Amino acid sequence: MNDYSMSREQVGEAWYFVPFGQLRQQPTIVVDSTGLGAALTLAHWRGAATPLALRDDTSAGSCLRALHAPTTPGLAARAVTANHFDIDGFVGVWALLNPALALAQEELLRLVATLGDFREIDWQHPLADHALQLVCWLNAEEKARFYEPFGAPARRRREDEASAEKFAWFLPRFAEILTDPAAGRAAWQPEYERVKLAVAALRGPLTQRTDYPEIGLAVVRTPAPVPYYALFGPTAGFDWVLSLYDGQRYELECKYTTWIDLASRPTLPRLPLPALANRLNELETSNYRWAADPLTDTGPLLRLAGRRLSKAERYADPDGRPIYASSLAPGVVEAEVVAFLTKSYVGIQPKSYWTWAEVRSVG
């Protein structure tokens, strides 16, 4: 999709951003969100009313598809909004507001959205470093100038209101960093270097990877927790990741790829994890107990719980939260996880566009 087919002259009057609360004040395109009264929805959320021809793995991808289809009903609306700020949603909004540059940089923007939302990227791709720099810049500036995802201070306004301030700051500044990432080096370099070191470490002899494609599970044995961009980068195509760290520290995560409507491939549904937690607790003899996040969490974790993690801690990198030592050997944990997933998926075939009702019926 690099025909650069849609210029400002072709689209006519430019799009502009409005806070989510103004959705019904004019015909509005809703990005990476859902809302009653939207002129057009461009979101990968499960059950979102995104037109079939525009469905994509990321919401930004749907926005880029829309730029290639200027006669799409609803695209004539000039106002654009989102009910939260994250990298995928931001890239989608920015693309609509900057169509010519977005189409010229489409391949890079798709990588940025995928890395930001799924933490997945092919590190051999020639644009991978550029995408990582942009994602790290967005992360660093968001945290420094506002607050980290899900880490808003108490008594703040609702996210759909507070996020408008983030859009107002980032929208006019992103083009410069997109075309000249060196301009934002001071912000992106610390996280960028941390991720690159972790990527190199995961390629080393101390890391082992075992895949169970029939149940969508990747098992990563590595000495210490690492950033998600390094951990999940090579796991595209897998929806479960079991991390086995030295010191008998473990985490199982169901990836965000099963929370949204993934367009590029069929998936198995995510599963409720309390039964697996109960089984592990029958075996566990440490002072900690296994606990699982709810089925509808964006990325449910199964882990030993010293205390309940906040949403900000669960969303943040594994190397930034406490992971407790288990009494169980790594081979035992791996075997129990594989047995649980294998048994749970008996008779179930991967498919696209699961409904939440269908997902809940599996558990």
Side-chain angles (χ1 to χ4, degrees), residues 22 27 44 66 97 109 112 117 156 168 179 182-183 197 219 245 250 259 268 271 287 355 360:
Q22 298 179 19
H44 62 169
L97 271 59
L109 292 175
V112 170
D117 237 22
R156 64 165 175 80
T179 55
L197 285 172
V219 179
Y245 303 119
Y250 317 119
W259 192 89
L268 290 165
L271 300 167
N287 292 326
T355 67
R360 291 186 177 94

Side-chain angles (χ1 to χ4, degrees), residues 118 141 166 228 292 319:
F118 303 153
E141 293 289 12
K166 296 183 181 181
Y228 271 123
D319 60 348

Side-chain angles (χ1 to χ4, degrees), residues 269-272 344-345 348 354 356-363:
R270 56 173 49 185
L271 300 167
S344 298
Y345 286 138
I348 298 174
W354 292 88
W356 279 113
E358 290 173 328
V359 171
R360 291 186 177 94
S361 70
V362 172

Side-chain angles (χ1 to χ4, degrees), residues 205-230:
L206 298 180
T207 296
Q208 297 178 336
R209 165 92 173 262
T210 305
D211 294 340
Y212 299 87
E214 66 280 1
I215 53 175
L217 172 68
V219 179
V220 180
R221 294 187 182 218
T222 198
V226 295
Y228 271 123
Y229 297 147

Side-chain angles (χ1 to χ4, degrees), residues 325-350:
S326 170
S327 65
L328 304 179
V332 172
V333 174
E334 180 174 346
E336 291 293 338
V337 169
V338 170
F340 170 79
L341 295 179
T342 300
K343 180 180 178 181
S344 298
Y345 286 138
V346 168
I348 298 174
Q349 295 298 316

